[in-house]
Amino acid sequence: MMRIDVFTMGCSKNLVDSERLMARFAERGFTVSHDPTYIEGDIAVVNTCGFIGDAKEESINFILELADKRTSGELKALYAMGCLTERYREELLREIPELDGIYGKFDFLSLLSDLEKVFPRSAADEQNLEMQCTKEGSTKPTPHCAYPLIARRCITTPSHYAYIKVSEGCDRRCAYCAIPLITGKHISRPIDEILDEVRQLAEGGVREFQIIAQELTFYGLDLYGESRISELVDRMADIPGVEWIRLHYAYPDHFPMDLLRVMRERPNVCKYLDIALQHIADEVLSRMHRHTTKEETLALLSKIREEVPGITMRTTLMVGFPGETEAQFEELLDFVRTARFERMGAFAYSEEDGTYAAMHYPDDIPSEVKQQRLDKLMSLQQSISAEINALKVGTTQRVIIDRSEGHYFIGRTQADSPEVDGEVLIPDTTPLQIGQFYNATITDADEFDLYGNVML
C-alpha cells in the first residue's frame, strides 16, 4: 500500500485532528507517518494553521515546498486541510493548482473516501488487509503506522501522554481573533464520549492527559445549559490509570470557580492552569472586547492562588494592539512584575482579515515598536522564571520521563506542559524508564529548566 506523510502545523488541537485522520488511514491499510524528517511518502497531507500571520505564512510556504515535489513527480498527490484551508479554500485552490484537494477544519475525514477513488486498492491489497486482522473474526486491520492506535487515534506524542480535545469553536469574539471565523460557534463533546476516550487511552498506557479547547470555561454550555468543565475533570480523575490531568486555555470572564475545588482536592489534577489574559490596561481590554477589567482580573488571580496553593499559572499576553500607548505597555510590565506568572508566552498583534480590530482599528503601531515591546516583556518574564526556578533547588519533585537525550533523561514536573514549558534534566547514570514517574531532587536551575537526580 502507499505511504502517506501527514504534517501538522500549529497547535495541539490540530494534532488531535491529524491523529484521528491517521488512524483512519492506517485502518484502511495505508502506511502512515507523522512529521517525518524526510518526505518519503507517495502522498502528503498538510494540516494547516491559520491563527496569525506568521503561522499562515509558515503553512503556505510548506505547501509550496511540497507543491514543487508534486510537480517533479516525487509526490503522487498533495492535500491540505485545517484552519487555513477552512477560511481560504477558494484562494488556495486558485493560487496553488498543484493541490489535489483541499479540506477544511470539519470535513477532512471525507479525504478518506476521495483518496480511495483516486488510488483504489488492488485485490491483493484487499486480501492482505483481510489477513492482517488484529484477532480472529475482527474486521479491523492491524494499523500500518509506528504509533499506538488507541481510541481511533494514532498517538503521535510519547505514548504516556495525549491531548484530549473537549470542544471546538469559540463564542467569545475577541476583537483581534480570527478563530471564531474559522471554527464557528462553540460546540462541546458529550461528557460520556470524552470519558470513554480517556478510559480507552488509559487502558492503552496513557498516563498524562492535556485537556484542551479553544475555551475550556465554556465547556458544556451548549449541551447542558451550564459550564460542566468541573464535573468533567472530577469524573475524569476517577478513571483508573489517569495520573495527571492538566488544563489549557481557560478564559477569565465567568471563570467556573468550582474548578478550583477540583484542582485542590483531586491529587491527579495538576495544580496548573493555562489562562490567557492578553493585557491588563482597562482601555486596551475594552478595545479587545475581553469583557473583563483590570480589577476583576487581579481579583480572579488572587482567588485562584488562594484556593489552590502552589498552583502554576501560564498566561499569554499581547503587545502592540492598535492604540496601545507607551503608558499602557508600562502598565502591562508592572502587572507582570507583580503577578509573577510561573509560565508566560507573548506575541505581537497581527491584523487578521475579517476581525473587528482589522475592520475598525488602524494597525498604528510600527512593527519595530511591537518587537521592542515584545522583547522587553519576554526579557522581564525570563528573569522572573529564573527566580521562581531557583526556589525549587533542594526540593523533591515528582517527574515523568519523556525521553533520553544525550547524557540525560528528560522529564517534566506537574508544572510543565509538553512542548511549551521547561523540563527536568537528569543524568543518565541512573537507569530510568520512559513514561514512568520518579521523585527527583532538584540540584540546579536556570530560567528555563531544572536539573536533578533520582535515587532508585
Side-chain angles (χ1 to χ4, degrees), residues 79-290:
Y79 299 92
M81 57 179 277
C83 292
L84 184 69
T85 54
E86 178 71 29
R87 193 163 187 215
Y88 299 105
R89 190 179 307 227
E90 297 304 319
E91 293 94 326
L92 288 168
L93 277 173
R94 184 172 60 250
E95 297 296 329
I96 310 178
E98 294 86 355
L99 282 165
D100 293 276
I102 287 187
Y103 302 83
K105 183 69 177 170
F106 305 104
D107 65 341
F108 61 87
L109 290 180
S110 61
L111 170 57
L112 298 168
S113 57
D114 293 346
L115 195 62
E116 289 183 335
K117 294 173 186 176
V118 180
F119 302 101
R121 289 196 292 258
S122 67
D125 292 330
E126 294 285 359
Q127 185 176 11
N128 285 336
L129 280 177
E130 187 175 346
M131 293 173 61
Q132 294 176 22
C133 292
T134 53
K135 58 184 177 180
E136 186 177 355
S138 172
T139 58
K140 180 179 177 182
T142 301
H144 291 67
C145 66
Y147 311 100
L149 178 58
I150 313 172
R152 301 212 74 188
R153 289 169 55 184
C154 282
I155 304 300
T156 61
T157 54
S159 60
H160 53 276
Y161 73 80
Y163 294 95
I164 302 296
K165 183 161 57 171
V166 300
S167 64
E168 282 282 10
C170 184
D171 291 344
R172 291 293 187 174
R173 300 286 175 176
C174 298
Y176 52 83
C177 185
I179 293 298
L181 302 175
I182 298 169
T183 62
K185 292 181 67 63
H186 177 93
I187 300 175
S188 303
R189 297 173 58 197
I191 287 180
D192 288 341
E193 177 185 300
I194 296 169
L195 294 178
D196 283 345
E197 180 182 23
V198 171
R199 193 172 294 108
Q200 291 176 53
L201 288 165
E203 290 171 355
V206 176
R207 294 291 172 260
E208 178 184 359
F209 296 83
Q210 321 297 335
I211 311 306
I212 58 173
Q214 189 60 39
E215 213 284 66
L216 275 181
T217 56
F218 256 36
Y219 173 76
L221 276 174
D222 53 316
L223 290 181
Y224 310 111
E226 61 182 356
S227 173
R228 291 284 187 91
I229 186 63
S230 302
E231 177 188 345
L232 174 66
V233 175
D234 207 16
R235 292 177 62 184
M236 195 180 296
D238 285 331
I239 295 175
V242 174
E243 296 274 356
W244 275 354
I245 300 169
R246 190 178 288 104
L247 305 176
H248 281 278
Y249 319 127
Y251 194 95
D253 182 38
H254 291 92
F255 185 87
M257 290 300 184
D258 191 53
L259 185 60
L260 301 179
R261 175 194 60 79
V262 175
M263 296 177 72
R264 183 179 64 250
E265 295 179 355
R266 304 305 298 257
N268 56 349
V269 178
C270 295
K271 292 180 172 59
Y272 181 107
L273 182 65
D274 190 339
I275 181 168
L277 298 176
Q278 306 303 347
H279 216 280
I280 196 62
D282 280 332
E283 186 175 344
V284 178
L285 290 171
S286 177
R287 288 165 63 82
M288 286 180 166
H289 296 175
R290 292 289 289 174

Side-chain angles (χ1 to χ4, degrees), residues 373-388:
R373 291 179 181 177
L374 182 60
D375 292 344
K376 190 171 183 179
L377 181 63
M378 291 310 299
S379 177
L380 170 61
Q381 178 60 30
Q382 187 171 317
S383 64
I384 292 171
S385 296
E387 293 168 2
I388 291 174

Side-chain angles (χ1 to χ4, degrees), residues 315-387:
T315 195
T316 304
L317 300 174
M318 181 192 298
V319 299
F321 188 74
E324 181 192 52
T325 65
E326 192 64 36
Q328 289 164 346
F329 173 64
E330 289 296 330
E331 187 176 357
L332 182 64
L333 290 175
D334 288 341
F335 168 61
V336 170
R337 290 188 189 98
T338 303
R340 294 182 65 81
F341 293 103
E342 289 79 9
R343 309 283 184 259
M344 192 194 84
F347 62 100
Y349 170 75
S350 169
E351 186 175 88
E352 300 301 318
D353 296 338
T355 61
Y356 184 92
M359 293 187 291
H360 294 87
Y361 305 146
D363 189 3
D364 57 357
I365 299 178
S367 57
E368 60 270 20
V369 174
K370 292 179 183 178
Q371 189 60 51
Q372 289 168 5
R373 291 179 181 177
L374 182 60
D375 292 344
K376 190 171 183 179
L377 181 63
M378 291 310 299
S379 177
L380 170 61
Q381 178 60 30
Q382 187 171 317
S383 64
I384 292 171
S385 296
E387 293 168 2

